[in-house]
Amino acid sequence: MDESHIYENRTNITPDHSGQGKNLPESSQKADAYENISQSLEMSMVGTSLSGAQDVKKRSYRIATVCLGLLCALLLAGLIVLALLHTKHVSEWNSYNEELRISYNNVTKDRNQLKTTYNNLASERDHLQTSYSNMVNQRDQLQTRNNDLTNEKQQLQKSLEQLTSWRNDLHRSYNDVTKERNQLQTSYNNLTSERDQLQTSYNNLTSERDQLQTSYNNLTHENEQLWKTLEELTTWRNDLPRRLRDHDGWVYFGGSFYFVSSLERSWDEGRADCQSRGADLVIINSRAEQDFARTFKKRLWIGLTDTDRHGTWKWVDGTPLTTRYWAPSEPNGKHEHCAEIKLFDLENSLNDESCNNRFSWICEKRFAL
């Protein structure tokens, strides 16, 4: 019922000038009416949540019917009250009219809420119906799967019975084979023990044989080396007079011949003279050779230089300097790249000098057997 119908009905009411209307509702009757509406709504909500999807629609219609009846009764009572109040005073009639409007708005709001609740319940009903259909489909599928699994279980049961029978047969065979295996294992262990003992004896004999063979080979090799050395020494001894005649002016020491020049030349010229004699500037390899070179009591060029890289001293055969016999504070020249024996009275007598300076030199020729 909209607002235009309410005002239309209101104009058709004939006021009672006695100040009293027929069936006048009191404020307590309004409260009872609202309480009945609230209880009906609560009962509808509770009933809806507990009942099935089929009862929701019927209860919703019933609630809507009751609410509409109550709304009509409330509106009728309000119209009667307004008609009576209108006979007393216009201001009071307007006040009651406003109150009736508010009541109507509240009832309209409640109706809208009930309609929303009804729509929500209908949506829930549809959702439950869909869920129910899905559950039915799932149940049917599970039933089908259950039937399939039952068939598989029966087949597996048969297979299990066959496997159990085979297992029992295999178990009996396994026990027999295990017994035979244990007997064979005992025999194998005995044979293995005997084999290990024989292997140990064989290994010991093989080791002794290898040691004896090694000793024999070493002795044979040493014997051959001794015979070869003896022949070389014999040849060298027989050829020694000729070698000494061929090295006139040379001095023999420690397996090499040494020649000390009487002239003075640059380092390069001294080395060229040594090379023309089939030798080279001396390479000092030991303390004894260093002491021997000092016995000539002369400043002598030796075969040591750092001309390739400053500070990296090498002998003329390319080997790096390892045993050092430098005099104190030597080497110390930036442009002095050749070495000489200078302080021949000292054990450490080597000095660096410019390669263009002129000194005597000492040549070395290794004596080969």
Side-chain angles (χ1 to χ4, degrees):
M1 181 182 295
D2 56 10
E3 187 176 357
S4 61
H5 290 128
I6 294 173
Y7 285 105
E8 182 180 355
N9 292 330
R10 184 186 62 188
T11 56
N12 294 328
I13 297 174
T14 302
D16 188 357
H17 296 282
S18 62
Q20 295 180 354
K22 185 177 181 181
N23 298 327
L24 180 63
E26 300 294 331
S27 59
S28 60
Q29 292 176 350
K30 289 183 180 181
D32 292 337
Y34 284 115
E35 184 175 359
N36 291 332
I37 293 171
S38 177
Q39 289 178 356
S40 298
L41 290 174
E42 291 177 356
M43 290 176 66
S44 176
M45 296 292 288
V46 173
T48 301
S49 63
L50 295 177
S51 61
Q54 299 297 329
D55 295 335
V56 172
K57 186 174 181 180
K58 293 180 179 181
R59 291 182 179 275
S60 298
Y61 288 152
R62 188 179 300 167
I63 291 171
T65 302
V66 173
C67 291
L68 290 174
L70 291 175
L71 287 172
C72 291
L74 289 173
L75 290 174
L76 183 59
L79 291 174
I80 294 172
V81 171
L82 288 174
L84 294 174
L85 291 176
H86 180 71
T87 58
K88 290 184 178 182
H89 200 276
V90 175
S91 62
E92 292 180 0
W93 170 259
N94 292 334
S95 176
Y96 282 112
N97 185 37
E98 184 65 23
E99 182 180 355
L100 180 60
R101 184 185 296 275
I102 292 171
S103 298
Y104 171 77
N105 291 334
N106 291 334
V107 172
T108 302
K109 183 178 179 181
D110 292 340
R111 183 197 64 184
N112 293 334
Q113 290 179 352
L114 287 173
K115 184 179 291 186
T116 301
T117 303
Y118 170 77
N119 293 333
N120 292 335
L121 290 174
S123 176
E124 291 180 2
R125 180 202 62 194
D126 295 338
H127 179 71
L128 289 173
Q129 183 65 37
T130 302
S131 299
Y132 173 76
S133 299
N134 294 331
M135 291 295 292
V136 170
N137 292 331
Q138 292 179 3
R139 182 201 62 188
D140 295 339
Q141 293 176 359
L142 289 174
Q143 184 65 39
T144 302
R145 293 185 59 186
N146 181 64
N147 295 333
D148 294 339
L149 291 174
T150 300
N151 294 330
E152 291 180 4
K153 182 189 74 172
Q154 292 175 355
Q155 294 177 357
L156 290 173
Q157 185 67 34
K158 293 179 181 179
S159 299
L160 178 62
E161 293 175 355
Q162 294 177 355
L163 290 174
T164 302
S165 178
W166 293 346
R167 184 200 63 184
N168 294 332
D169 294 339
L170 288 174
H171 187 67
R172 286 191 295 269
S173 300
Y174 173 78
N175 291 333
D176 296 337
V177 171
T178 301
K179 184 177 180 180
E180 294 178 1
R181 185 204 62 185
N182 292 335
Q183 294 174 354
L184 291 173
Q185 184 67 40
T186 302
S187 301
Y188 172 78
N189 292 336
N190 294 332
L191 291 174
T192 301
S193 178
E194 294 176 2
R195 184 205 63 187
D196 293 340
Q197 293 176 359
L198 292 173
Q199 185 67 41
T200 301
S201 300
Y202 173 78
N203 292 337
N204 293 334
L205 291 174
T206 302
S207 178
E208 292 177 2
R209 183 202 64 188
D210 294 340
Q211 291 176 359
L212 291 173
Q213 184 67 41
T214 302
S215 299
Y216 173 77
N217 293 336
N218 292 335
L219 289 174
T220 302
H221 181 71
E222 290 177 3
N223 188 42
E224 292 175 353
Q225 291 293 329
L226 287 174
W227 276 107
K228 184 178 180 180
T229 302
L230 179 60
E231 291 176 356
E232 291 175 349
L233 289 175
T234 301
T235 302
W236 179 80
R237 183 195 64 186
N238 296 332
D239 195 48
L240 184 58
R242 182 186 61 79
R243 289 176 178 270
L244 292 176
R245 287 194 303 271
D246 293 341
H247 289 79
D248 186 24
W250 292 78
V251 179
Y252 178 80
F253 175 79
S256 296
F257 287 98
Y258 297 87
F259 176 81
V260 177
S261 70
S262 59
L263 303 176
E264 293 183 352
R265 297 285 187 274
S266 67
W267 187 89
D268 290 327
E269 291 173 336
R271 186 182 185 191
D273 178 73
C274 291
Q275 291 175 341
S276 68
R277 298 174 185 272
D280 207 336
L281 291 174
V282 64
I283 298 174
I284 299 175
N285 296 315
S286 66
R287 175 67 67 180
E289 191 174 14
Q290 164 69 8
D291 294 339
F292 169 76
R294 292 191 299 110
T295 60
F296 295 100
K297 304 295 182 179
K298 295 176 65 175
R299 298 182 70 173
L300 300 173
W301 286 122
I302 62 174
L304 184 64
T305 180
D306 69 343
T307 53
D308 293 338
R309 182 179 179 183
H310 179 69
T312 302
W313 292 86
K314 294 182 179 180
W315 296 103
V316 289
D317 63 352
T319 57
L321 176 64
T322 55
T323 305
R324 299 173 180 269
Y325 301 105
W326 293 108
S329 301
E330 299 294 343
N332 59 2
K334 293 183 179 180
H335 304 289
E336 298 173 352
H337 301 295
C338 295
E340 62 157 342
I341 297 176
K342 178 179 180 181
L343 305 176
F344 44 77
D345 292 332
L346 299 176
E347 185 175 22
N348 293 336
S349 60
L350 300 187
N351 174 52
D352 60 333
E353 278 290 347
S354 172
C355 297
N356 295 324
N357 288 347
R358 302 171 67 86
F359 298 113
S360 297
W361 60 91
I362 179 170
C363 303
E364 179 183 8
K365 181 189 295 186
R366 297 292 299 173
F367 177 70
L369 294 176

